[in-house]
Amino acid sequence: MEPMNEPNQNDLNGAGIDPAAPGQPGSSTAARGAESGSARQRLTVVAGPTAVGKGTVVSRLLERYPQIYLSVSATTRSPRPGEIDGQHYHFMSPERFQELIDKDQLLEWATVHGVHNYGTPREPIERALAEGRPALLEIDLAGVRLVKQKMPDARFIFIEPPSWDELVSRLRGRGSETEEEMARRLETARVELKAAGEFDHVLINDEVERTVDELASLMGLS
């Protein structure tokens, strides 16, 4: 899904997906919940409202721990200028995407704006976990709920802002949305914040580096 199965190797290679490829990089911090044991063998799913800083946190985490496999979404839309197949998305035809659906090779998928499909390939994540690599998926709330059905043993982490006012300030500070777009995003954010209780852990992102520290700890990386 845009941000936001047991296939064989040939199936995914034919789709332009390289399961062995390394992941690419997409404020007091408080965590609720603790973790121990074989943390590396579980998928970690990160979600949170718009402008909360998920992408920044994930990018910093990947800089520190380049061994992490970051899931790359599949999509039926065409590449935009500068986008690289296999790094930003796995670009494929609608027919190939449907084949992945039919073979249960997607942990979740959705049609966005009634036009293009986006989804999370299952096999590269399972391969990374089997190799002992930590695997990370950044996704929206709808995608989280679908992944829970396919991979309920994953670790689900919600990143929230220190306050509503701070979230609004961060969104305004981006300067990339019209007032109408901002209102729509903030309404979605209200819904997402109410769903924080569906997650295993909640991190309050009021300082990026501490949030990264706590995310790494939950993943068993530090």
Side-chain angles (χ1 to χ4, degrees):
M1 198 172 286
E2 188 173 28
M4 238 145 327
N5 343 332
E6 295 291 338
N8 61 44
Q9 181 87 19
N10 291 332
D11 282 340
L12 288 171
N13 286 343
I17 299 174
D18 180 4
Q24 292 88 19
S27 281
S28 152
T29 305
R32 299 201 290 271
E35 195 91 18
S36 63
S38 56
R40 291 176 186 269
Q41 284 68 46
R42 295 170 62 194
L43 170 66
T44 297
V45 182
V46 172
T50 184
V52 77
K54 301 183 297 296
T56 301
V57 169
V58 168
S59 293
R60 287 290 297 120
L61 183 73
L62 291 169
E63 289 174 8
R64 292 194 199 178
Y65 304 98
Q67 73 271 30
I68 294 172
Y69 172 76
L70 178 64
S71 176
V72 177
S73 296
T75 182
T76 58
R77 73 163 172 80
S78 299
R80 294 168 183 155
E83 289 184 329
I84 300 171
D85 185 36
Q87 178 177 331
H88 299 97
Y89 289 94
H90 297 296
F91 299 100
M92 62 185 63
S93 68
E95 292 77 17
R96 180 57 186 146
F97 194 95
Q98 184 61 50
E99 184 180 349
L100 295 181
I101 294 172
D102 294 342
K103 293 184 176 181
D104 198 23
Q105 293 179 12
L106 297 175
L107 286 178
E108 58 81 33
W109 68 276
T111 302
V112 177
H113 304 308
V115 180
H116 298 299
N117 293 333
Y118 293 83
T120 300
R122 176 195 285 266
E123 200 274 349
I125 290 172
E126 291 184 336
R127 179 173 293 275
L129 296 175
E131 293 172 349
R133 294 178 64 191
L136 183 64
L137 170 61
E138 180 189 345
I139 204 168
D140 64 14
L141 178 60
V144 165
R145 289 168 172 166
L146 292 171
V147 172
K148 277 190 172 185
Q149 297 175 22
K150 296 288 186 73
M151 197 173 281
D153 61 340
R155 177 188 302 102
F156 296 91
I157 299 175
F158 189 81
I159 299 180
E160 67 180 22
S163 69
W164 176 256
D165 287 345
E166 176 64 20
L167 185 70
V168 174
S169 176
R170 291 179 186 180
L171 183 58
R172 288 191 181 280
R174 296 198 311 199
S176 57
E177 286 87 11
T178 65
E179 286 297 318
E180 182 179 350
E181 289 170 337
M182 280 190 54
R184 184 172 63 252
R185 287 183 179 273
L186 289 172
E187 184 59 33
T188 299
R190 289 184 187 277
V191 173
E192 292 169 332
L193 287 167
K194 289 178 181 177
E198 299 179 24
F199 291 74
D200 300 316
H201 309 276
V202 176
L203 303 181
I204 300 175
N205 184 27
D206 56 1
E207 202 286 310
V208 170
E209 294 305 320
R210 282 200 294 270
T211 305
V212 174
D213 289 342
E214 295 203 355
L215 179 55
S217 178
L218 289 172
M219 293 179 68
L221 296 168
S222 62

